[in-house]
Amino acid sequence: MLALSGCGGDEAGPRLELSAALPDTPADGTVLRVGDPATQVALETSGLIDELDVEVEWANITGGPKTLEAFRADAIDIGSVADIPPLFAHWTGTDVRIVAARETVEPETHPTYALGVAPGVEVRTIEDLKGKKIAYSPGQAQGALVLNVLREAGLTQDDVEFVEMQSVDDAFSVALASKQVDVAPLGQTLVKTYLAKYEVDGATAIDPGVRDDAWTLYTPTTVLEDADKAAAIKEYVGVWAQAQQWISDHPDEFAEAYYVDHEGLSPEDAAYVVDALGEFTVPTSWDDFIARHQETVDTLVEAQDQEPLDVATLYDRRYEKAIAAAVEGS
């Protein structure tokens, strides 16, 4: 587990142009520093960890803000986040590239988030959000979700009151319970614990009614300019893709290993989370994924006055081919 210090990692390998073909193998001794505890657990539990020849140092780092902090501190090489953090990394001056994508098989019936509602607040549909105080994290997936929900409900930002805060750990649950906000998007891991504590007081949660399943692996561009790191990531994303499939195929094992043993949920709550999230798939063509990502970018440009961005420029499609080869060969 890595501290957020500028440790610098191992010695840099030969420089690789971003347009050059990916090397097949990194030099001996190359270390890849990864912030993705869920995949670590999946790889170790499934035995797929043995498929990795490259040495991996794991960091118990999740979420957009912590991952970006770790990038800027040179503490990790690659992180696992939703689709919004790479955009805000770019917009705030950190040059990054997306090297893998994941989506949900049935996103309409398996939302990543629910809208938590504070005790005593009456919200039964997304149209009921009018006039409510909503927790809003502009640099995270939860922030984009709120904007998409408002659009789906036929509402604008002027129809609600945004309370800006980062969704870190249980910050949104605490804000709901203390009635700092009326509504907040909660990941499925938090929904059950929030309701278990506060449903007796009148807390509720509703389906957001919009697609929210995009997930990515991304890395600073400087990492990809290191030939050995780039080759290590090529190997990693192939095994990562297999791990996502294993999670879908073995929900009970993953629930026990990750949500119970690693995250501290009860077996009942862990079973709820894996059922709520559904099955994952790793696309071997990124065209549709990128098109949906561009729609999200356009929403943020309009709602937050962000700089226009062709999001395709953030995707390193050399890894699209590497993942396809790994998935087809597995």
Side-chain angles (χ1 to χ4, degrees), residues 54-55 60 65 96 105-106 113 133 139 146 164 175 181 187 199 238 245 247 257 270 298 302 307:
V54 67
E55 181 182 349
N60 191 26
V96 297
V105 174
E106 296 180 334
Y113 298 96
K133 293 185 294 183
V146 167
E164 192 167 318
V181 297
E199 192 170 21
Q245 186 61 54
I247 291 170
D298 295 343
E302 180 181 357
E307 178 185 357

PDB file of all heavy atoms in Angstrom, residues 54-55 60 65 96 105-106 113 133 139 146 164 175 181 187 199 238 245 247 257 270 298 302 307:
ATOM      1  N   VAL A  54       4.266  -8.876 -15.032  1.00  0.00           N
ATOM      2  CA  VAL A  54       4.797  -7.623 -14.531  1.00  0.00           C
ATOM      3  C   VAL A  54       4.550  -7.520 -13.030  1.00  0.00           C
ATOM      4  O   VAL A  54       3.544  -8.020 -12.509  1.00  0.00           O
ATOM      5  CB  VAL A  54       4.152  -6.429 -15.268  1.00  0.00           C
ATOM      6  CG1 VAL A  54       2.675  -6.309 -14.942  1.00  0.00           C
ATOM      7  CG2 VAL A  54       4.859  -5.137 -14.934  1.00  0.00           C
ATOM      8  N   GLU A  55       5.476  -6.898 -12.326  1.00  0.00           N
ATOM      9  CA  GLU A  55       5.304  -6.679 -10.891  1.00  0.00           C
ATOM     10  C   GLU A  55       4.346  -5.514 -10.664  1.00  0.00           C
ATOM     11  O   GLU A  55       4.491  -4.447 -11.266  1.00  0.00           O
ATOM     12  CB  GLU A  55       6.643  -6.376 -10.231  1.00  0.00           C
ATOM     13  CG  GLU A  55       6.535  -6.154  -8.725  1.00  0.00           C
ATOM     14  CD  GLU A  55       7.858  -5.812  -8.069  1.00  0.00           C
ATOM     15  OE1 GLU A  55       8.910  -5.949  -8.723  1.00  0.00           O
ATOM     16  OE2 GLU A  55       7.827  -5.382  -6.893  1.00  0.00           O
ATOM     17  N   ASN A  60      -4.323   1.310  -2.116  1.00  0.00           N
ATOM     18  CA  ASN A  60      -5.728   1.283  -1.711  1.00  0.00           C
ATOM     19  C   ASN A  60      -6.338   2.666  -1.927  1.00  0.00           C
ATOM     20  O   ASN A  60      -6.692   3.383  -0.993  1.00  0.00           O
ATOM     21  CB  ASN A  60      -5.843   0.851  -0.250  1.00  0.00           C
ATOM     22  CG  ASN A  60      -7.274   0.555   0.146  1.00  0.00           C
ATOM     23  OD1 ASN A  60      -8.102   0.209  -0.688  1.00  0.00           O
ATOM     24  ND2 ASN A  60      -7.573   0.697   1.429  1.00  0.00           N
ATOM     25  N   PRO A  65     -11.126  12.186  -6.869  1.00  0.00           N
ATOM     26  CA  PRO A  65     -10.217  13.124  -6.198  1.00  0.00           C
ATOM     27  C   PRO A  65      -8.946  12.470  -5.661  1.00  0.00           C
ATOM     28  O   PRO A  65      -7.845  13.002  -5.824  1.00  0.00           O
ATOM     29  CB  PRO A  65     -11.085  13.674  -5.060  1.00  0.00           C
ATOM     30  CG  PRO A  65     -12.481  13.542  -5.556  1.00  0.00           C
ATOM     31  CD  PRO A  65     -12.499  12.260  -6.338  1.00  0.00           C
ATOM     32  N   VAL A  96      -3.846  13.320 -19.350  1.00  0.00           N
ATOM     33  CA  VAL A  96      -4.129  11.909 -19.084  1.00  0.00           C
ATOM     34  C   VAL A  96      -4.665  11.235 -20.338  1.00  0.00           C
ATOM     35  O   VAL A  96      -5.107  11.888 -21.285  1.00  0.00           O
ATOM     36  CB  VAL A  96      -5.151  11.743 -17.937  1.00  0.00           C
ATOM     37  CG1 VAL A  96      -4.602  12.288 -16.629  1.00  0.00           C
ATOM     38  CG2 VAL A  96      -6.481  12.402 -18.294  1.00  0.00           C
ATOM     39  N   VAL A 105     -23.929  -4.732 -18.299  1.00  0.00           N
ATOM     40  CA  VAL A 105     -24.659  -5.474 -19.325  1.00  0.00           C
ATOM     41  C   VAL A 105     -26.086  -4.951 -19.459  1.00  0.00           C
ATOM     42  O   VAL A 105     -26.580  -4.736 -20.571  1.00  0.00           O
ATOM     43  CB  VAL A 105     -24.663  -6.982 -18.989  1.00  0.00           C
ATOM     44  CG1 VAL A 105     -25.538  -7.756 -19.973  1.00  0.00           C
ATOM     45  CG2 VAL A 105     -23.232  -7.535 -19.018  1.00  0.00           C
ATOM     46  N   GLU A 106     -26.771  -4.701 -18.350  1.00  0.00           N
ATOM     47  CA  GLU A 106     -28.138  -4.190 -18.372  1.00  0.00           C
ATOM     48  C   GLU A 106     -28.200  -2.911 -17.521  1.00  0.00           C
ATOM     49  O   GLU A 106     -28.703  -2.917 -16.392  1.00  0.00           O
ATOM     50  CB  GLU A 106     -29.117  -5.241 -17.841  1.00  0.00           C
ATOM     51  CG  GLU A 106     -29.186  -6.497 -18.700  1.00  0.00           C
ATOM     52  CD  GLU A 106     -30.153  -7.529 -18.153  1.00  0.00           C
ATOM     53  OE1 GLU A 106     -30.402  -7.528 -16.919  1.00  0.00           O
ATOM     54  OE2 GLU A 106     -30.656  -8.334 -18.943  1.00  0.00           O
ATOM     55  N   TYR A 113     -25.709   4.139  -9.183  1.00  0.00           N
ATOM     56  CA  TYR A 113     -26.074   5.034  -8.087  1.00  0.00           C
ATOM     57  C   TYR A 113     -27.579   5.011  -7.838  1.00  0.00           C
ATOM     58  O   TYR A 113     -28.371   4.700  -8.733  1.00  0.00           O
ATOM     59  CB  TYR A 113     -25.656   6.474  -8.393  1.00  0.00           C
ATOM     60  CG  TYR A 113     -24.171   6.662  -8.551  1.00  0.00           C
ATOM     61  CD1 TYR A 113     -23.590   6.659  -9.812  1.00  0.00           C
ATOM     62  CD2 TYR A 113     -23.352   6.827  -7.449  1.00  0.00           C
ATOM     63  CE1 TYR A 113     -22.219   6.816  -9.974  1.00  0.00           C
ATOM     64  CE2 TYR A 113     -21.977   6.987  -7.590  1.00  0.00           C
ATOM     65  CZ  TYR A 113     -21.416   6.974  -8.858  1.00  0.00           C
ATOM     66  OH  TYR A 113     -20.063   7.123  -9.005  1.00  0.00           O
ATOM     67  N   LYS A 133     -32.556  20.779  -2.113  1.00  0.00           N
ATOM     68  CA  LYS A 133     -31.114  20.971  -1.979  1.00  0.00           C
ATOM     69  C   LYS A 133     -30.429  19.656  -2.341  1.00  0.00           C
ATOM     70  O   LYS A 133     -30.702  18.622  -1.721  1.00  0.00           O
ATOM     71  CB  LYS A 133     -30.753  21.369  -0.548  1.00  0.00           C
ATOM     72  CG  LYS A 133     -31.261  22.732  -0.118  1.00  0.00           C
ATOM     73  CD  LYS A 133     -30.756  23.097   1.271  1.00  0.00           C
ATOM     74  CE  LYS A 133     -31.344  22.174   2.333  1.00  0.00           C
ATOM     75  NZ  LYS A 133     -30.917  22.560   3.707  1.00  0.00           N
ATOM     76  N   GLY A 139     -16.646  17.577 -10.119  1.00  0.00           N
ATOM     77  CA  GLY A 139     -15.547  16.853 -10.735  1.00  0.00           C
ATOM     78  C   GLY A 139     -15.666  15.343 -10.657  1.00  0.00           C
ATOM     79  O   GLY A 139     -14.707  14.640 -10.976  1.00  0.00           O
ATOM     80  N   VAL A 146     -26.207  14.014 -11.505  1.00  0.00           N
ATOM     81  CA  VAL A 146     -27.218  14.987 -11.081  1.00  0.00           C
ATOM     82  C   VAL A 146     -27.683  15.820 -12.275  1.00  0.00           C
ATOM     83  O   VAL A 146     -28.889  16.047 -12.474  1.00  0.00           O
ATOM     84  CB  VAL A 146     -26.665  15.887  -9.963  1.00  0.00           C
ATOM     85  CG1 VAL A 146     -27.574  17.093  -9.740  1.00  0.00           C
ATOM     86  CG2 VAL A 146     -26.516  15.094  -8.673  1.00  0.00           C
ATOM     87  N   GLU A 164     -22.411  22.286  -3.022  1.00  0.00           N
ATOM     88  CA  GLU A 164     -21.211  21.694  -3.598  1.00  0.00           C
ATOM     89  C   GLU A 164     -20.334  21.052  -2.519  1.00  0.00           C
ATOM     90  O   GLU A 164     -19.994  21.688  -1.524  1.00  0.00           O
ATOM     91  CB  GLU A 164     -20.422  22.752  -4.372  1.00  0.00           C
ATOM     92  CG  GLU A 164     -19.315  22.168  -5.229  1.00  0.00           C
ATOM     93  CD  GLU A 164     -18.748  23.172  -6.220  1.00  0.00           C
ATOM     94  OE1 GLU A 164     -19.552  23.923  -6.829  1.00  0.00           O
ATOM     95  OE2 GLU A 164     -17.513  23.206  -6.373  1.00  0.00           O
ATOM     96  N   ALA A 175     -24.184  14.034   5.015  1.00  0.00           N
ATOM     97  CA  ALA A 175     -24.890  15.268   4.657  1.00  0.00           C
ATOM     98  C   ALA A 175     -26.397  15.039   4.621  1.00  0.00           C
ATOM     99  O   ALA A 175     -27.179  15.905   5.030  1.00  0.00           O
ATOM    100  CB  ALA A 175     -24.394  15.784   3.309  1.00  0.00           C
ATOM    101  N   VAL A 181     -28.408  18.468   3.101  1.00  0.00           N
ATOM    102  CA  VAL A 181     -28.992  18.381   1.769  1.00  0.00           C
ATOM    103  C   VAL A 181     -30.247  17.523   1.850  1.00  0.00           C
ATOM    104  O   VAL A 181     -30.432  16.735   2.783  1.00  0.00           O
ATOM    105  CB  VAL A 181     -28.005  17.784   0.747  1.00  0.00           C
ATOM    106  CG1 VAL A 181     -26.778  18.668   0.594  1.00  0.00           C
ATOM    107  CG2 VAL A 181     -27.598  16.371   1.134  1.00  0.00           C
ATOM    108  N   GLY A 187     -23.529   5.696  -4.153  1.00  0.00           N
ATOM    109  CA  GLY A 187     -23.158   4.426  -4.759  1.00  0.00           C
ATOM    110  C   GLY A 187     -23.859   3.284  -4.047  1.00  0.00           C
ATOM    111  O   GLY A 187     -24.238   3.395  -2.867  1.00  0.00           O
ATOM    112  N   GLU A 199     -33.499   4.679   7.651  1.00  0.00           N
ATOM    113  CA  GLU A 199     -34.835   4.433   7.116  1.00  0.00           C
ATOM    114  C   GLU A 199     -35.895   4.533   8.211  1.00  0.00           C
ATOM    115  O   GLU A 199     -37.019   4.989   7.968  1.00  0.00           O
ATOM    116  CB  GLU A 199     -34.892   3.060   6.440  1.00  0.00           C
ATOM    117  CG  GLU A 199     -36.142   2.833   5.608  1.00  0.00           C
ATOM    118  CD  GLU A 199     -36.058   1.583   4.767  1.00  0.00           C
ATOM    119  OE1 GLU A 199     -35.232   0.686   5.103  1.00  0.00           O
ATOM    120  OE2 GLU A 199     -36.789   1.488   3.770  1.00  0.00           O
ATOM    121  N   GLY A 238      -5.158  -6.374 -20.215  1.00  0.00           N
ATOM    122  CA  GLY A 238      -5.679  -7.650 -20.688  1.00  0.00           C
ATOM    123  C   GLY A 238      -6.162  -8.523 -19.545  1.00  0.00           C
ATOM    124  O   GLY A 238      -7.247  -9.119 -19.612  1.00  0.00           O
ATOM    125  N   GLN A 245     -14.730  -9.914 -16.076  1.00  0.00           N
ATOM    126  CA  GLN A 245     -15.606 -11.021 -16.440  1.00  0.00           C
ATOM    127  C   GLN A 245     -15.743 -12.005 -15.285  1.00  0.00           C
ATOM    128  O   GLN A 245     -16.825 -12.530 -15.013  1.00  0.00           O
ATOM    129  CB  GLN A 245     -15.084 -11.737 -17.687  1.00  0.00           C
ATOM    130  CG  GLN A 245     -16.025 -12.818 -18.220  1.00  0.00           C
ATOM    131  CD  GLN A 245     -17.369 -12.251 -18.626  1.00  0.00           C
ATOM    132  OE1 GLN A 245     -17.432 -11.313 -19.418  1.00  0.00           O
ATOM    133  NE2 GLN A 245     -18.453 -12.801 -18.080  1.00  0.00           N
ATOM    134  N   ILE A 247     -15.591 -11.298 -12.126  1.00  0.00           N
ATOM    135  CA  ILE A 247     -16.493 -10.690 -11.141  1.00  0.00           C
ATOM    136  C   ILE A 247     -17.947 -10.977 -11.507  1.00  0.00           C
ATOM    137  O   ILE A 247     -18.764 -11.330 -10.649  1.00  0.00           O
ATOM    138  CB  ILE A 247     -16.240  -9.172 -11.051  1.00  0.00           C
ATOM    139  CG1 ILE A 247     -14.869  -8.893 -10.412  1.00  0.00           C
ATOM    140  CG2 ILE A 247     -17.342  -8.477 -10.262  1.00  0.00           C
ATOM    141  CD1 ILE A 247     -14.438  -7.441 -10.496  1.00  0.00           C
ATOM    142  N   ALA A 257     -15.209 -11.782  -0.863  1.00  0.00           N
ATOM    143  CA  ALA A 257     -13.803 -11.373  -0.823  1.00  0.00           C
ATOM    144  C   ALA A 257     -13.641  -9.861  -0.777  1.00  0.00           C
ATOM    145  O   ALA A 257     -12.782  -9.340  -0.051  1.00  0.00           O
ATOM    146  CB  ALA A 257     -13.063 -11.940  -2.036  1.00  0.00           C
ATOM    147  N   ALA A 270     -23.503  -7.130   1.165  1.00  0.00           N
ATOM    148  CA  ALA A 270     -22.614  -7.437   0.044  1.00  0.00           C
ATOM    149  C   ALA A 270     -23.388  -8.106  -1.084  1.00  0.00           C
ATOM    150  O   ALA A 270     -23.203  -7.780  -2.263  1.00  0.00           O
ATOM    151  CB  ALA A 270     -21.475  -8.330   0.512  1.00  0.00           C
ATOM    152  N   ASP A 298     -20.418  17.158 -23.476  1.00  0.00           N
ATOM    153  CA  ASP A 298     -21.215  18.281 -23.968  1.00  0.00           C
ATOM    154  C   ASP A 298     -22.153  18.812 -22.886  1.00  0.00           C
ATOM    155  O   ASP A 298     -22.383  20.033 -22.785  1.00  0.00           O
ATOM    156  CB  ASP A 298     -22.011  17.848 -25.201  1.00  0.00           C
ATOM    157  CG  ASP A 298     -21.109  17.493 -26.383  1.00  0.00           C
ATOM    158  OD1 ASP A 298     -19.924  17.881 -26.367  1.00  0.00           O
ATOM    159  OD2 ASP A 298     -21.585  16.810 -27.316  1.00  0.00           O
ATOM    160  N   GLU A 302     -21.855  22.698 -21.310  1.00  0.00           N
ATOM    161  CA  GLU A 302     -22.993  23.615 -21.252  1.00  0.00           C
ATOM    162  C   GLU A 302     -23.337  24.010 -19.818  1.00  0.00           C
ATOM    163  O   GLU A 302     -23.558  25.196 -19.527  1.00  0.00           O
ATOM    164  CB  GLU A 302     -24.215  22.966 -21.908  1.00  0.00           C
ATOM    165  CG  GLU A 302     -25.456  23.839 -21.889  1.00  0.00           C
ATOM    166  CD  GLU A 302     -26.649  23.172 -22.528  1.00  0.00           C
ATOM    167  OE1 GLU A 302     -26.510  22.050 -23.050  1.00  0.00           O
ATOM    168  OE2 GLU A 302     -27.741  23.775 -22.507  1.00  0.00           O
ATOM    169  N   GLU A 307     -14.352  24.053 -20.972  1.00  0.00           N
ATOM    170  CA  GLU A 307     -13.781  24.191 -22.318  1.00  0.00           C
ATOM    171  C   GLU A 307     -14.254  23.033 -23.196  1.00  0.00           C
ATOM    172  O   GLU A 307     -14.205  21.870 -22.778  1.00  0.00           O
ATOM    173  CB  GLU A 307     -12.259  24.188 -22.220  1.00  0.00           C
ATOM    174  CG  GLU A 307     -11.549  24.282 -23.560  1.00  0.00           C
ATOM    175  CD  GLU A 307     -10.043  24.143 -23.402  1.00  0.00           C
ATOM    176  OE1 GLU A 307      -9.577  24.032 -22.250  1.00  0.00           O
ATOM    177  OE2 GLU A 307      -9.348  24.129 -24.424  1.00  0.00           O
TER     178      GLU A 307
END
